[in-house]
Amino acid sequence: MTATTLNTTKSTEIFTAAQGLMPGGVSSPVRAFKSVGGQPIVFDRVNGAYIWDVDGNKYIDYVGTWGPAICGHAHPDVISALKTTLDNGTSFGAPCAQENLLAEMVISAVPSIEMVRFVNSGTEACMSVLRLMRAFTGRDKIIKFEGCYHGHADMFLVKAGSGVATLGLPDSPGVPKTTTANTLTAPYNDLEAVKKLFEENPEQIAGVILEPVVGNSGFLPPDAGFLEGLRVLTEDNGALLVFDEVMTGFRIAYGGAQAKFNVTPDLTTLGKVIGGGLPVGAYGGRKDIMSMVAPAGPMYQAGTLSGNPLAMTAGIKTLEILNREGQYEYLEKVTSKLIAGLLDVAKETGHAACGGSISGMFGFFFTEGPVHNFDDAKKSDTAKFGKFHRGMLEHGVYLAPSQFEAGFTSLSHTDVEIDKTIDAAKKVMSSLES
Ligand SMILES: Cc1ncc(COP(=O)(O)O)c(C=O)c1O
């Protein structure tokens, strides 16, 4: 490696101590760098397109706190609005006016959403929407796709792999087989497999849930006709179509992937961007379905901190910024330049690679491709990705520490950061064996 070796003395010290305090030293698993190897970095501060670690190293950030930082970290408008709200306290556990404002913004932006319920995370949004799918249809089974992540609730932790896929075997100890027995899975982009599941389980399937653009198998867009086909299949079978837009909502487009691809699901989950960096999730959709949620209807779901004024304020300001003229065109421009540059570098340096981007979301795989589903994605050279990841860190670029995570840009990423990143990739890829 030609770059300076990072000084990560303080990171190492803090992470070593953390390992005795928290499982694996982290509050969420991917942060432990297990899939790329090497020492995780402990961070200190973020601003714009940059993140600093506790040893003072500065990185161009393509994780963006896993998606929320779409306006750039610590955007001055968001921080200033938060300071004003903070002066009135942090949480009321009661209605606040900011909830109405964020709800109105979400409803007017996202085609499927006529009514919305705020929660505190994407996981909570997805587990609640699942209960609603079942409550509304009176059916228990659901279809999810291999490689799609819908948070860590039991029902979604089904092994996304070939043989066991449709058997509903749980992915984690502690998840009872009975809980996942009603979770059927199909390969992403495979309409025939979904059709077959509907035929094999007549009038038993409550609905189909998916990431309309997958970010949890790496970046994986839907094939032409896939989303439209699911819309028809669900309607024909009296089932609901649910888009998990926790990652894609307000990122792929202001109205999410459903606006971009012009396919309207019955229900949608949101998170990440709508919290502007604070813990928020939401689920929403058709009024007749949402009217089943307590206290309007009988389906129970609640939350102590749900809709708190601080989180709502960060969401409102973030959406206000995103709704300004030209923001998504800008994200498209910088991100497509980045991915084109990375793929060119891979080609020049003799590495098999494929990838793509939409708006401010991107990904690439160390495999020839094409990648249509998780099995294709798993053909990637993950050992090479680990070395690439480390090399990029050494050159001041922070990528998600897994081959199977999408990357994110922000409105603060400019040509300067993109050019530096491509230049770093050239140095790192040249040093890797092809
Ligand atoms: C598509 C999708 N759904 C749900 C979740 C879970 O959200 P959270 O981590 O906020 O619980 C994630 C998290 O990455 C996600 O990407």
Side-chain angles (χ1 to χ4, degrees):
M1 204 64 59
T2 51
T4 52
T5 302
L6 283 177
N7 171 12
T8 54
T9 315
K10 281 192 194 158
S11 269
T12 307
E13 215 173 89
I14 294 170
F15 190 70
T16 305
Q19 283 173 299
L21 302 169
M22 295 171 284
V26 289
S27 298
S28 193
V30 184
R31 298 177 195 176
F33 277 32
K34 291 252 181 208
S35 65
V36 288
Q39 168 72 37
I41 310 292
V42 178
F43 291 104
D44 193 33
R45 186 163 65 89
V46 284
N47 197 278
Y50 291 93
I51 185 161
W52 285 260
D53 70 18
V54 286
D55 291 285
N57 300 302
K58 178 183 178 183
Y59 309 85
I60 302 169
D61 181 22
Y62 291 103
V63 180
T65 190
W66 300 98
I70 191 166
C71 299
H73 288 294
H75 192 289
D77 294 358
V78 178
I79 298 292
S80 144
L82 278 173
K83 282 180 177 163
T84 306
T85 303
L86 189 58
D87 282 343
N88 293 333
T90 55
S91 178
F92 309 150
C96 69
Q98 289 95 332
E99 286 171 285
N100 285 21
L101 190 47
L102 188 58
E104 278 164 7
M105 294 173 97
V106 167
I107 289 166
S108 67
V110 184
S112 66
I113 300 188
E114 296 172 351
M115 210 173 232
V116 64
R117 165 61 59 88
F118 292 111
V119 294
N120 302 288
S121 69
T123 293
E124 221 188 306
C126 292
M127 61 184 259
S128 307
V129 95
L130 175 54
R131 186 177 304 144
L132 182 57
M133 289 159 77
R134 289 169 164 167
F136 185 76
T137 58
R139 300 174 179 180
D140 286 344
K141 293 185 180 174
I142 59 143
I143 299 175
K144 78 174 277 289
F145 292 91
E146 295 170 13
C148 281
Y149 179 64
H150 304 296
H152 64 81
D154 282 2
M155 309 73 74
F156 292 120
L157 285 186
V158 176
K159 185 152 180 131
S162 52
V164 283
T166 53
L167 299 177
L169 293 182
D171 228 0
S172 163
V175 178
K177 285 194 183 70
T178 45
T179 308
T180 55
N182 286 315
T183 307
L184 312 175
T185 64
Y188 196 76
N189 276 325
D190 189 342
L191 274 181
E192 278 309 308
V194 178
K195 201 169 166 205
K196 193 157 169 269
L197 287 174
F198 272 117
E199 282 163 9
E200 288 168 356
N201 300 274
E203 294 181 24
Q204 294 169 58
I205 295 173
V208 175
I209 184 165
L210 76 155
E211 294 177 63
V213 175
V214 185
N216 287 288
S217 310
F219 172 81
L220 203 78
D223 287 347
F226 180 58
L227 300 177
E228 293 82 351
L230 290 177
R231 182 63 284 184
V232 173
L233 275 175
T234 44
E235 265 166 15
D236 286 353
N237 288 281
L240 299 173
L241 181 62
V242 184
F243 281 4
D244 176 355
E245 297 229 41
V246 167
M247 194 181 277
T248 54
F250 293 91
R251 176 162 285 278
I252 286 291
Y254 192 68
Q258 55 197 270
K260 177 97 186 164
F261 291 98
N262 201 19
V263 175
T264 306
D266 301 295
L267 293 166
T268 298
T269 56
L270 295 167
K272 298 188 190 273
V273 170
I274 62 155
L278 270 78
V280 183
Y283 62 102
R286 276 168 34 198
K287 217 172 219 168
D288 59 325
I289 309 177
M290 289 305 291
S291 301
M292 287 210 73
V293 178
M299 192 215 84
Y300 194 70
Q301 184 273 310
T304 300
L305 293 171
S306 297
N308 72 76
L310 266 189
M312 297 294 102
T313 297
I316 291 163
K317 267 295 150 195
T318 299
L319 298 199
E320 262 177 36
I321 296 163
L322 288 172
N323 203 20
R324 293 175 193 156
E325 186 85 18
Q327 304 290 55
Y328 290 89
E329 289 77 3
Y330 180 80
L331 289 169
E332 182 71 45
K333 187 169 79 92
V334 285
T335 319
S336 54
K337 177 176 170 175
L338 172 70
I339 197 72
L342 292 177
L343 293 177
D344 279 351
V345 166
K347 204 169 176 186
E348 279 166 27
T349 50
H351 297 285
C354 66
S357 69
I358 304 178
S359 176
M361 182 172 169
F362 70 92
F364 71 96
F365 300 100
F366 277 121
T367 180
E368 203 63 61
V371 174
H372 293 286
N373 57 39
F374 193 41
D375 275 348
D376 294 340
K378 284 192 288 194
K379 291 178 190 147
S380 294
D381 187 339
T382 51
K384 187 185 280 183
F385 180 81
K387 288 182 195 146
F388 177 69
H389 183 269
R390 193 76 219 172
M392 291 301 273
L393 268 182
E394 298 271 344
H395 284 82
V397 178
Y398 181 55
L399 297 168
S402 164
Q403 171 76 102
F404 303 117
E405 297 283 354
F408 303 113
T409 51
S410 78
L411 295 170
S412 296
H413 287 75
T414 67
D415 280 343
V416 173
E417 286 77 29
I418 304 298
D419 290 342
K420 274 191 189 161
T421 305
I422 295 169
D423 195 43
K426 201 174 281 178
K427 292 184 183 126
V428 176
M429 286 203 205
S430 305
S431 73
L432 296 177
E433 275 176 38
S434 48

